[in-house]
Amino acid sequence: MMTVVRLMALALLLACGLAQPASAQVQAQAPAQAQLRNPATLAVEGPVLPGETVEVAIAFAPREGWHGYWFNPGDAGKGMELRWDLPPGWRAGEPRYPVPETLFAFGFMNHVYKSPYAVLVPLTVPADAAEGPTLIGVRAEYLACSDSLCVRETAELIGNVVVGADGRRDPRFARWEAKIPPRIDATARVEREGETLRIAIPLPQTQALGRPHVFIAEDGLVQYGEQQAFYRGEDRLVAVLAAKGDANPSSLSGVLRFGNSGRGIAFTAERGPVGLGSTTPLEASNAPSIGWLFLAAFVGGIVLNILPCVFPILSLKALHLARAGESESAARRDALAYTGGVMIAVLGLGVLLLALRAGGEQVGWAFQLQQPGIVLALLVLVTAITANLAGVFELPTLAGRRQASGSFATGLLAAFIATPCTGPFMAAALGAALILPTQYALGLFAALGLGFALPFLLLGFVPALRSRLPRPGGWMAHFRRWMALPMGVTALAVLWLAVRIGGWPFAAIGLAIALVVIAMLMGAGRRQRGGRPVGGGMIAGGLAVVLALAVVAPRWIDEVEADAGVLDPADFSEATLAQAKATGRPVFLWFTADWCLTCKVNEKVAIEREATRDAFADAGVIAIRGDWTRSNPAITRYLESKGVAGIPLYVWIDRDGEEQVLPQVLGPDSLIDLAGASPKTPARGTPQ
């Protein structure tokens, strides 16, 4: 039922002549979508197996000047009502809405959508459903408003659900799903204090907020039009909202919006103490400012140079260092070329990441190494570089000569391979880049690239540093060939990654491609040493074979299960994490990938150890691992909820459900100490 305030608001609209006449309302209820101010369509995600759940979308396209409403419309308006026409045994779940906008008009605060949006509804298919297309229908009743009119609209929608394995997924669902706010797994707290409701939302200190706003799902609890105040503390955000009447809820739910980015998080709060101690008002708090985020990205880029992520391009960086001992002009030229390569790669990756996310893809900072096709291309590239460093053939851009193009290519490759793993300081900056306006996001990517290139810029422009390097000489030719060894190890590592990302048949095709490339380059090298031009026919034939193998490679991609490891962790999912927390036992949650060397070093040093396993067993710790080697939307959403864009990420959850984000570089006893300090509690179950 509408609240008194909402009834008064609608009465005011009618009294002012702002509501549509009754005859026009009847016309708007007609099924013809062309007559609607906010026309709706029904879409089905794709085929579904009996007993499983499929998403259906009710997609709206408000006409210019019109808007629709969130399920809690605010002071005025009306939420959507759905009446489903489903076969026996089929069941529709609760609708999921994107993050709404605020609209303040005539003294009323409304929660609206002015641009096209989609409401997603899970549809559960019974286990005995017959295979084949099944007709479903829904009657959607909702309100569409402009600045001068409000119209009750009705859309009669029908669609086909294909039960069975045949069919393709509707690509629009990735875009719609990306607009749904991820629900944080930690429980917020709500408390009545005087005439206000205080809500403490668990949120990392690193999460950029912009100008936040809280939308409460339940009606009648807060005064929507009153100003909201925010206080920032360590890993929590306290929202202070004007309470309505004597509202003192035992629980509530809502959405926290981050500025005007269209992004946010969903939360559930239970009644509990919410103090403002150790917090400061958001305007004067120590929340990350734009300046701090730029500094964090810059410093994170510098630190990245000493992390294990850089090992794959160690050979090229070492050659660049060796060349820096040449003439001052050559050193400056190479330093600028290297920096240019780094900047173009980082900005290019950043632009592509933002474009993919704007298109609805659930991707993070590591997206370039999660694609099997890119892994194959990288295998070809590092194989060619290894052959070049070993002297198999000559390619001026990577042969260690003075040409600036070699330094530029080194910068490109270094940034492409090394940046997917986030290091200290980087996580906060890259997490903010996903929700800030585009110009700020690109600025953060540029700061990261500049920090990554800084050591070589200093070598090129500070003679005192360059004078400490050995002077160039004949030793560089031998040094270059020795550097083929770590690059060869990198080629083997990429081949192993092909196994992990696509299975052995896929990796075998990758190996065949690498062997064809080596044979082609060896032939080119022989012709070069004989003073003859490289044969175009030979290269064309080799490339044709490589292209043919690359075309068939996707057909051989298999799902690869992660190794059990010493801890034998459960695989991450939102349900698994919720079940683990419900046991009342400590939980260690970590996110890793086979292409993240920093992750693998941490696992070797601190996680996958017998001492850690024994400490976890004594304390009853549940281990959960999120493997992000391949793109995983659930993991991406969880990373976003923690304000980060990449891995590694380590989270410790104590028996009370309090979460602690651990450093990205773990010590040998980091986890053992946490387990030892955890009070022992009786288990209430174990996640499956």
Side-chain angles (χ1 to χ4, degrees):
M1 294 181 64
M2 291 186 176
T3 63
V4 174
V5 171
R6 195 170 298 157
L7 286 170
M8 293 176 62
L10 290 176
L12 177 62
L13 290 174
L14 288 168
C16 294
L18 300 180
Q20 185 79 341
S23 60
Q25 289 188 26
V26 173
Q27 184 184 28
Q29 291 175 354
Q33 294 294 292
Q35 299 174 346
L36 300 181
R37 278 72 171 178
N38 187 11
T41 55
L42 184 68
V44 180
E45 180 182 19
V48 60
L49 296 176
E52 296 188 352
T53 299
V54 65
E55 293 269 19
V56 296
I58 303 174
F60 294 90
R63 303 198 187 283
E64 184 69 26
W66 293 81
H67 58 261
Y69 288 92
W70 194 44
F71 61 87
N72 179 356
D75 283 327
K78 187 178 186 298
M80 178 172 61
E81 296 179 1
L82 300 176
R83 298 179 184 177
W84 290 93
D85 182 11
L86 301 174
W90 291 53
R91 181 168 49 86
E94 289 296 320
R96 297 191 298 146
Y97 285 72
V99 178
E101 307 171 59
T102 55
L103 175 64
F104 195 76
F106 304 110
F108 300 107
M109 173 66 77
N110 299 322
H111 309 147
V112 305
Y113 302 102
K114 298 179 182 179
S115 302
Y117 63 101
V119 177
L120 303 185
V121 183
L123 204 63
T124 303
V125 179
D128 59 354
E131 294 195 2
T134 301
L135 193 67
I136 63 170
V138 62
R139 177 185 176 92
E141 297 181 355
Y142 51 95
L143 198 66
C145 290
S146 68
D147 292 340
S148 59
L149 294 173
C150 279
V151 181
R152 185 185 296 276
E153 300 196 322
T154 299
E156 301 279 358
L157 308 173
I158 59 174
N160 262 323
V161 177
V162 177
V163 180
D166 295 334
R168 294 184 178 181
R169 187 176 188 269
D170 189 330
R172 295 174 296 175
F173 274 81
R175 181 174 70 253
W176 291 333
E177 182 72 36
K179 300 295 184 181
I180 306 297
R183 182 169 297 277
I184 59 174
D185 52 290
T187 303
R189 292 194 297 270
V190 59
E191 180 183 39
R192 173 82 184 225
E193 179 64 30
E195 299 301 314
T196 65
L197 287 182
R198 293 178 178 176
I199 306 173
I201 304 171
L203 196 70
Q205 184 73 20
T206 56
Q207 175 66 62
L209 293 173
R211 187 181 295 275
H213 187 88
V214 170
F215 298 90
I216 301 299
E218 294 79 10
D219 190 22
L221 298 183
V222 300
Q223 300 182 42
Y224 304 114
E226 296 295 324
Q227 185 173 359
Q228 300 181 353
F230 294 90
Y231 295 80
R232 196 73 183 260
E234 184 175 354
D235 291 335
R236 68 174 181 147
L237 178 74
V238 178
V240 180
L241 283 63
K244 179 176 289 187
D246 58 355
N248 187 16
S250 59
S251 64
L252 57 78
S253 58
V255 168
L256 170 64
R257 186 188 66 189
F258 301 141
N260 296 319
S261 64
R263 298 188 179 276
I265 56 172
F267 64 88
T268 301
E270 302 290 341
R271 184 183 294 169
V274 181
L276 295 180
S278 72
T279 67
T280 53
L282 184 61
E283 293 78 9
S285 72
N286 56 352
S289 64
I290 289 295
W292 186 93
L293 290 171
F294 278 119
L295 179 61
F298 180 71
V299 175
I302 297 175
V303 174
L304 189 61
N305 283 281
I306 61 174
L307 292 179
C309 308
V310 179
F311 176 79
I313 41 83
L314 181 63
S315 297
L316 299 182
K317 293 175 79 72
L319 285 174
H320 188 87
L321 280 170
R323 287 200 303 271
E326 297 176 321
S327 68
E328 182 173 344
S329 61
R332 291 183 177 180
R333 180 191 63 213
D334 284 353
L336 290 174
Y338 174 86
T339 301
V342 168
M343 297 296 289
I344 288 179
V346 173
L347 285 172
L349 290 172
V351 169
L352 185 56
L353 172 64
L354 295 176
L356 288 172
R357 292 179 65 86
E361 295 293 331
Q362 289 281 349
V363 295
W365 182 232
F367 70 96
Q368 70 266 35
L369 293 183
Q370 294 176 326
Q371 308 302 321
I374 293 181
V375 171
L376 278 186
L378 189 60
L379 177 61
V380 171
L381 181 60
V382 295
T383 299
I385 294 174
T386 302
N388 175 253
L389 295 177
V392 172
F393 78 107
E394 294 298 328
L395 182 64
T397 57
L398 290 172
R401 298 180 181 178
R402 294 185 179 183
Q403 283 87 344
S405 54
S407 296
F408 179 81
T410 299
L412 280 174
L413 187 61
F416 185 86
I417 296 180
T419 52
C421 287
T422 59
F425 302 100
M426 282 178 61
L430 293 179
L434 300 184
I435 64 172
L436 289 174
T438 303
Q439 64 270 26
Y440 292 117
L442 294 179
L444 290 175
F445 291 129
L448 169 64
L450 187 60
F452 187 58
L454 181 64
F456 295 96
L457 271 178
L458 293 178
L459 282 172
F461 286 86
V462 180
L465 293 176
R466 201 166 56 252
S467 65
R468 297 178 179 272
L469 297 175
R471 298 189 63 81
W475 64 271
M476 291 182 62
H478 301 288
F479 181 70
R480 170 193 163 193
R481 283 171 171 76
W482 277 107
M483 287 298 97
L485 291 177
M487 186 54 67
V489 172
T490 298
L492 294 176
V494 176
L495 184 61
W496 173 78
L497 178 58
V499 174
R500 301 300 305 164
I501 205 170
W504 284 104
F506 176 75
I509 293 178
L511 178 60
I513 291 176
L515 292 176
V516 171
V517 169
I518 291 174
M520 183 174 60
L521 295 178
M522 289 179 65
R526 283 194 298 268
R527 296 182 69 89
Q528 286 176 335
R529 288 187 292 273
R532 294 173 295 168
V534 177
M538 177 187 64
I539 292 183
L543 290 178
V545 174
V546 169
L547 181 60
L549 290 172
V551 168
V552 302
R555 302 175 182 269
W556 294 88
I557 295 176
D558 293 329
E559 292 292 332
V560 181
E561 294 185 2
D563 295 332
V566 175
L567 296 186
D568 194 17
D571 292 330
F572 171 81
S573 71
E574 295 172 353
T576 300
L577 180 58
Q579 187 179 357
K581 294 175 66 175
T583 64
R585 295 160 57 181
V587 178
F588 173 60
L589 174 64
W590 87 94
F591 295 91
T592 182
D594 289 331
W595 38 258
C596 175
L597 291 183
T598 299
C599 304
K600 294 305 175 185
V601 170
N602 279 331
E603 289 167 19
K604 184 71 173 178
V605 170
I607 301 175
E608 296 288 0
R609 301 174 59 213
E610 293 184 359
T612 303
R613 180 193 60 193
D614 295 341
F616 278 17
D618 291 341
V621 178
I622 298 173
I624 301 177
R625 175 180 59 195
D627 189 344
W628 211 33
T629 301
R630 294 285 298 272
S631 180
N632 185 315
I635 292 178
T636 305
R637 287 194 298 269
Y638 185 86
L639 295 176
E640 287 182 7
S641 74
K642 296 302 175 188
V644 299
I647 56 175
L649 176 68
Y650 307 107
V651 181
W652 181 269
I653 306 173
D654 66 22
R655 62 186 180 89
D656 295 322
E658 296 293 329
E659 298 188 359
Q660 176 186 356
V661 177
L662 305 180
Q664 290 179 304
V665 178
L666 300 176
D669 297 327
S670 298
L671 300 178
I672 296 174
D673 292 342
L674 281 170
S678 177
K680 295 180 175 54
T681 57
R684 296 195 291 269
T686 304
Q688 300 298 316

